[in-house]
Amino acid sequence: MPSSTSNSDGAYPAVKTSFFDPETVDRPVPVRPWRVILFASLAALIALTALWEVYWRGKGFVGNDFKNSSSLWTQERRKAVGDETVLLGSSRMYYDIDLDIWEELSGIRPLQLSLEGTSPRITLKELAEDDRFTGTVIIGVTKLVFFTQFGGVREDVLDYYTDETPSQRIGHRFSQLPEPFLAFLDEQTRPKRQLTIAKFPLRDGMKPRFDPRKLEVVTADRNAKVWTRIMDEEPYRKEAQDQWLLAFELFAPPPAADGGPPPPMPDAVIDGIISEVSANIEKIRARGGRVAFVQPPYTGPFIDVEDFGFPQERFWDRLLTGTNSVGVTFKDYPEMQGLYLPEWSHLGPQAARDFTRSLVPVLYAEMHARDNAIEAE
Amino acid sequence: MLFNSLTFVAFFAIVIGLYNLPFPWRVKKFNLLIASYLFYAAWSPPFVILLWISTVVDWKAAQWIHNSDSTSKRRLFLSLSLATNLGILGYFKYGGFLLENFTALMASIGIDYQPAAWNIILPVGISFYTFQTMAYSLDVYLKRAAPAKSLLDFSLFVTFFPQLVAGPIVRPSQLIPQFAEPKRATSSQFYWGLGLITLGLFEKIVLADTFLAPAVDAVFGSGKSLAPLDAWTGVLAFSGQIFFDFSGYSTIAIGAALCLGFALPNNFRFPYAAIGFSDFWRRWHISLSTWLRDYLYIPLGGNKKGPVRTYINLSITMLLGGLWHGASWTFVVWGGLHGLYLAGERLLREFVPKQKWFSGWPFKIAMALVTYFLVNITWVFFRAQSFEEAMRMLASMFGFGAGEKVLYLNEILPAALVIAGMVVTHWMMRSTTKEAVIEKAPAWLIGVVWTFLLFMLVIAQGSDSAFIYFQF
């Protein structure tokens, strides 16, 4: 057995490209002024990074905007034990509820576990199966998402939550350290994302893809608000609106066999969904937990799509009745209507605060009324 | 722990700091061993037990083999080592596969056998470290090497964190002697090690994950019969993704080890410049191909038992090499195709008389392109999740698909640029090394390139995924 490997240093040998020597390792090191090169590179890196930061700040990106990652969701999900209050839903529940206002009015800071583009049925099921959770669940309902899919674009977070490794957990903590200070640390500034959303000509016969741009800023505990660019920049807002119009076109249900409008969702399917939701709600109630629903506002073309495709009485009313639950819909409260939804689906920051301010007292009153009614029985 | 994570950056900084404190060599090695266990436990702490089992069994088996005079006892102790390592590998990696095939076999003869679901998690890097420890027992059995003198050195050989989970698969004689005497990286080794880590991270995070993965995922995830341009872009992009992903890991491993003063062998040598398949396997995953050569092909008889046995041995070696990568018949086909290519090349060398123009560049370039083309055919089986998907992809590549387009120019252009750059670079670097090129390059250019790599890593903001080879 040879006594050592041949780590040569300082004496660069002739180029050796021999295949493989099972006995020794030849690991030559090029002789260069490494220290100078490295420190010059690091200095240049700092300068370039500073310019990069300035560039993206100029595009409206800000510090303290945390990546809405699976790790961030998991961090909040881990807190959802005992009698915590949890918000489930899709993006409307995520952007439209202001956690600070909720806390101010109720004394409780809810955990925001809504996931954009994803039906809360999947997170409700997961929470229902966790015996450690005995608290309150507020479920945001976007009928379009709630009744048409079980999971959605972010459903993989549940696998991440159960499989998160110690390394990922530590890495998440590390990655949060610079986020308050560096605006460019954002999903949308990554070259991969920039390449995806760059405007290249379409190939013949291809349709543009539905791929919403950055819509929100998020705090370290997932208190999300619609981004200022949506509010302030007409072209960017138009781009966001165009994405919804594209989605309506791409994901429209197929027409009926006779070419007429698509057939409505059969009662049996709606009832099946409601009984699945109800079963999960009952598991939470059996442990002493409480559940209520919220329907956040929408406007513009969403009114046609949701009210025509998912009539309130067939879906929302039936959901409340079928799950024996209380719920608050913006349609019943004038103070929750007429709020500003810049891209038709999500409230602007001030509107989200106003909505939360109107919602919380009504919702808690509804829940207390139900509790009292049950007690009286 | 992923190399492409901030956790690793912090971990490595602590390891380097501790390593450079004035502790006795034994304490430093102990620190490295603990660090290596932590590195592995960062995925799943319970699986460290497997490392301990492998370490203890091979340590004792090698000693017993070495101290036994009787051949039967030596065989018995070798069998103990092999059975333990292959048993662990078989249970965790191939259990589900065997059960699935057994169920299918029963069904084919009319027996409705419904076993319970095989929900076993695959420990990360299990194929790598079991092969590495088996090499130790086999070397001692074959009297190529004496057993390690120190359990600490041997434990470190099994678990050395830079190459623990995805290689290079290091031979005992390459690494154990390096632990015998105090090691400390010279400043040049340290800085070059950092340079290699930067390069490896760039390969993984920027080239593989940022520029190539979107095309690969869109094509192989489509489940559709595609237009030839889409199918070819996806497959070629995968040829780059798998190279940059795996070569990136090896480069980081080599760099991290070098920062500590240890030398690890090269695992890749610009494989897409290979002319022929024996050349390809001297350039691709070198530590596995040589392992298979030394511990499987040669013990089977290699090319010493006549032409027929040579071809059989070649086929067995490559089929098992395919199976090493994953418990699926698609991997077996991948290995089988490479075996077929190697056998075909051997036949051609045997029966086609050498011509003068064989040594000319036009012929070499043509052969390199043919090699790259045929390697890409094998990647279809490597990447596809099923035969159905692989066949659909092959049909699409050769114009027999329905011709659906799934790739936008947003994916095609970056992939095409990176793949073209990769092939040209491999060809230009065919007969040289990174070290030789760096040695001759002006210092300012090295600085510019290093800055570029670092800047791209910063703006790419980390990676989306684990290294592909972790699953093996």
Side-chain angles (χ1 to χ4, degrees):
Chain A
M1 182 181 284
S3 61
S4 71
T5 59
S6 56
N7 297 353
S8 56
D9 183 30
Y12 189 74
V15 173
K16 187 177 176 187
T17 56
S18 65
F19 173 34
F20 183 80
D21 182 350
E23 298 294 315
T24 61
V25 185
D26 189 30
R27 175 62 49 212
V29 175
V31 181
R32 309 299 307 175
W34 285 117
R35 192 187 303 263
V36 176
I37 293 171
L38 176 62
F39 284 102
S41 300
L42 288 177
L45 173 69
I46 290 167
L48 282 174
T49 306
L51 288 174
W52 191 248
E53 174 72 6
V54 169
Y55 173 77
W56 287 110
R57 280 188 183 267
K59 296 253 177 198
F61 288 78
V62 291
N64 257 328
D65 176 11
F66 289 78
K67 279 187 184 165
N68 179 22
S69 61
S70 298
S71 314
L72 189 64
W73 188 90
T74 296
Q75 169 198 295
E76 293 304 292
R77 171 62 186 89
R78 272 197 298 269
K79 298 176 191 166
V81 290
D83 62 353
E84 291 287 348
T85 296
V86 169
L87 307 181
L88 303 182
S90 32
S91 58
R92 285 182 196 162
M93 194 66 175
Y94 186 38
Y95 303 156
D96 293 357
I97 299 295
D98 187 295
L99 301 186
D100 295 333
I101 301 289
W102 191 297
E103 187 177 16
E104 180 193 316
L105 295 175
S106 69
I108 294 165
R109 190 168 185 86
L111 298 167
Q112 179 55 274
L113 295 181
S114 301
L115 290 164
E116 64 278 22
T118 306
S119 170
R121 284 159 52 199
I122 192 170
T123 37
L124 174 67
K125 179 174 186 290
E126 190 276 322
L127 208 55
E129 285 168 0
D130 183 354
D131 290 339
R132 297 170 306 161
F133 177 75
T134 56
T136 302
V137 185
I138 313 297
I139 305 171
V141 177
T142 300
K143 292 175 289 182
L144 192 60
V145 179
F146 192 94
F147 285 98
T148 57
Q149 54 197 45
F150 179 63
V153 294
R154 296 293 307 279
E155 66 185 35
D156 57 339
V157 298
L158 291 181
D159 286 336
Y160 183 91
Y161 165 60
T162 51
D163 300 339
E164 187 184 45
T165 65
S167 172
Q168 287 169 322
R169 195 164 168 176
I170 298 166
H172 169 61
R173 290 294 179 190
F174 278 126
S175 71
Q176 282 194 319
L177 295 177
E179 285 188 273
F181 314 106
L182 295 173
F184 81 84
L185 295 177
D186 190 285
E187 182 62 27
Q188 185 145 313
T189 70
R190 297 176 69 188
K192 185 174 186 175
R193 182 80 185 123
Q194 286 294 310
L195 276 172
T196 308
I197 62 178
K199 285 175 180 150
F200 286 103
L202 279 176
R203 293 168 69 196
D204 280 348
M206 286 189 86
K207 289 182 176 172
R209 79 180 126 203
F210 172 64
D211 190 1
R213 311 299 189 253
K214 177 182 172 68
L215 287 176
E216 83 283 12
V217 289
V218 184
T219 64
D221 66 348
R222 301 190 85 243
N223 193 9
K225 286 287 153 291
V226 161
W227 192 24
T228 50
R229 275 186 80 181
I230 301 277
M231 302 295 293
D232 303 340
E233 283 183 32
E234 175 62 28
Y236 195 81
R237 182 162 59 245
K238 173 83 170 44
E239 211 174 326
Q241 291 170 342
D242 288 346
Q243 282 293 314
W244 296 134
L245 297 177
L246 179 65
F248 295 148
E249 184 192 328
L250 293 178
F251 307 126
D258 61 0
M265 188 180 279
D267 283 341
V269 174
I270 301 172
D271 290 340
I273 290 169
I274 289 173
S275 59
E276 163 224 307
V277 172
S278 181
N280 288 322
I281 287 175
E282 286 311 317
K283 283 183 193 169
I284 292 171
R285 285 180 178 152
R287 301 196 293 264
R290 300 195 300 171
V291 178
F293 290 92
V294 169
Q295 187 182 28
Y298 47 87
T299 189
F302 280 95
I303 293 176
D304 281 346
V305 172
E306 297 203 28
D307 291 355
F308 178 74
F310 302 87
Q312 197 76 346
E313 60 282 6
R314 283 196 77 212
F315 290 87
W316 170 258
D317 295 349
R318 205 168 179 159
L319 176 66
L320 299 189
T321 312
T323 59
N324 188 23
S325 303
V326 293
V328 175
T329 170
F330 75 100
K331 288 176 181 287
D332 293 344
Y333 297 90
E335 65 271 29
M336 296 182 201
Q337 294 166 17
L339 298 168
Y340 181 48
L341 296 107
E343 35 71 88
W344 308 321
S345 186
H346 306 103
L347 295 166
Q350 185 53 49
R353 282 188 279 274
D354 294 343
F355 175 68
T356 310
R357 202 169 282 285
S358 304
L359 171 73
V360 170
V362 176
L363 183 69
Y364 275 97
E366 291 270 346
M367 286 199 289
H368 286 311
R370 183 182 185 278
D371 293 345
N372 292 339
I374 289 172
E375 245 174 61
E377 280 172 18
Chain B
M1 193 180 300
L2 291 174
F3 283 154
N4 49 327
S5 69
L6 288 173
T7 315
F8 178 73
V9 174
F11 165 86
F12 193 55
I14 293 168
V15 168
I16 290 285
L18 275 175
Y19 190 70
N20 284 292
L21 289 176
F23 291 133
W25 179 231
R26 193 174 165 74
V27 174
K28 287 187 181 189
K29 286 194 288 188
F30 192 72
N31 287 342
L32 278 184
L33 184 64
I34 298 295
S36 297
Y37 286 132
L38 285 174
F39 180 86
Y40 195 74
W43 273 292
S44 179
F47 286 140
V48 172
I49 294 167
L50 295 180
L51 285 175
W52 291 337
I53 292 172
S54 232
T55 304
V56 171
V57 169
D58 285 301
W59 166 254
K60 292 309 290 181
Q63 284 185 332
W64 292 332
I65 292 167
H66 185 68
N67 295 331
S68 299
D69 295 329
S70 116
T71 309
S72 58
K73 278 188 179 171
R74 288 167 56 80
R75 275 194 191 144
L76 178 72
F77 296 134
L78 176 68
S79 304
L80 171 70
S81 162
L82 297 184
T84 304
N85 286 302
L86 293 176
I88 290 173
L89 191 61
Y91 177 77
F92 284 100
K93 187 162 180 173
Y94 300 106
F97 177 64
L98 291 173
L99 194 63
E100 189 184 303
N101 282 283
F102 180 73
T103 310
L105 184 69
M106 290 294 104
S108 71
I109 56 172
I111 299 172
D112 183 23
Y113 174 61
Q114 297 290 346
W118 186 266
N119 294 321
I120 302 293
I121 298 169
L122 182 67
V124 170
I126 189 167
S127 304
F128 287 91
Y129 67 74
T130 49
F131 267 42
Q132 186 157 313
T133 50
M134 278 199 299
Y136 173 73
S137 308
L138 285 162
D139 276 359
V140 173
Y141 176 78
L142 296 167
K143 299 188 177 175
R144 290 177 186 162
K149 292 188 177 101
S150 146
L151 177 59
L152 178 58
D153 288 4
F154 177 68
S155 304
L156 203 45
F157 161 73
V158 176
T159 55
F160 189 46
F161 74 85
Q163 46 80 235
L164 171 60
V165 290
I169 303 167
V170 183
R171 300 297 174 81
S173 43
Q174 289 174 322
L175 193 54
I176 293 175
Q178 295 191 61
F179 296 132
E181 289 170 12
K183 277 268 184 308
R184 187 177 173 178
T186 63
S187 66
S188 290
Q189 283 176 327
F190 182 75
Y191 290 126
W192 178 232
L194 290 181
L196 289 173
I197 291 173
T198 311
L199 177 63
L201 286 171
F202 178 81
E203 286 183 83
K204 162 67 179 166
I205 294 172
V206 179
L207 298 178
D209 287 353
T210 300
F211 291 115
L212 298 173
V216 177
D217 294 344
V219 165
F220 282 92
S222 72
K224 293 172 182 166
S225 190
L226 302 173
L229 175 65
D230 296 65
W232 274 108
T233 304
V235 173
L236 290 169
F238 182 67
S239 77
Q241 186 196 17
I242 186 92
F243 169 74
F244 287 124
D245 190 284
F246 193 18
S247 160
Y249 187 92
S250 297
T251 307
I252 298 166
I254 291 165
L258 197 58
C259 286
L260 297 162
F262 297 99
L264 296 181
N266 284 330
N267 218 9
F268 291 89
R269 267 198 328 110
F270 308 104
Y272 293 136
I275 301 173
F277 294 93
S278 46
D279 189 22
F280 179 79
W281 282 104
R282 289 191 184 100
R283 295 167 176 277
W284 180 274
H285 202 173
I286 297 166
S287 64
L288 176 68
S289 63
T290 50
W291 196 102
L292 292 171
R293 178 196 68 188
D294 295 345
Y295 299 106
L296 187 58
Y297 179 68
I298 291 174
L300 283 170
N303 59 2
K304 306 288 183 205
K305 296 193 172 176
V308 176
R309 274 296 298 272
T310 301
Y311 290 113
I312 291 172
N313 294 341
L314 210 49
S315 303
I316 292 171
T317 304
M318 294 315 292
L319 286 171
L320 289 176
L323 203 54
W324 177 89
H325 284 85
S328 158
W329 287 110
T330 50
F331 285 114
V332 177
V333 171
W334 175 80
L337 278 174
H338 273 285
L340 210 63
Y341 293 162
L342 285 165
E345 182 180 319
R346 201 177 176 86
L347 270 172
L348 285 173
R349 282 184 199 279
E350 219 165 294
F351 293 107
V352 178
K354 263 198 169 176
Q355 306 293 325
K356 201 175 172 185
W357 48 271
F358 281 4
S359 54
W361 283 113
F363 181 76
K364 282 183 177 175
I365 291 173
M367 286 301 102
L369 289 173
V370 168
T371 306
Y372 183 51
F373 167 78
L374 290 173
V375 165
N376 273 290
I377 302 297
T378 69
W379 287 136
V380 173
F381 290 94
F382 197 94
R383 178 60 174 79
Q385 299 295 314
S386 64
F387 275 115
E388 191 190 10
E389 186 186 337
M391 298 318 289
R392 191 171 53 232
M393 192 61 63
L394 286 171
S396 300
M397 287 160 73
F398 294 104
F400 300 110
E404 193 160 337
K405 295 171 183 171
V406 292
L407 290 182
Y408 292 82
L409 291 178
N410 308 53
E411 288 106 22
I412 294 174
L413 293 177
L417 281 173
V418 172
I419 293 304
M422 175 186 75
V423 172
V424 169
T425 306
H426 280 215
W427 187 255
M428 288 169 68
M429 295 290 291
R430 186 171 193 281
S431 304
T432 185
T433 62
K434 285 189 283 284
E435 287 82 359
V437 171
I438 294 287
E439 182 78 9
K440 288 175 194 155
W444 66 264
L445 182 60
I446 299 170
V448 168
V449 171
W450 204 345
T451 305
F452 171 73
L453 301 184
L454 287 168
F455 182 60
M456 288 303 292
L457 289 176
V458 168
I459 69 173
Q461 300 171 47
S463 190
D464 293 328
S465 58
F467 291 84
I468 295 173
Y469 263 72
F470 279 15
Q471 62 189 292
F472 307 141

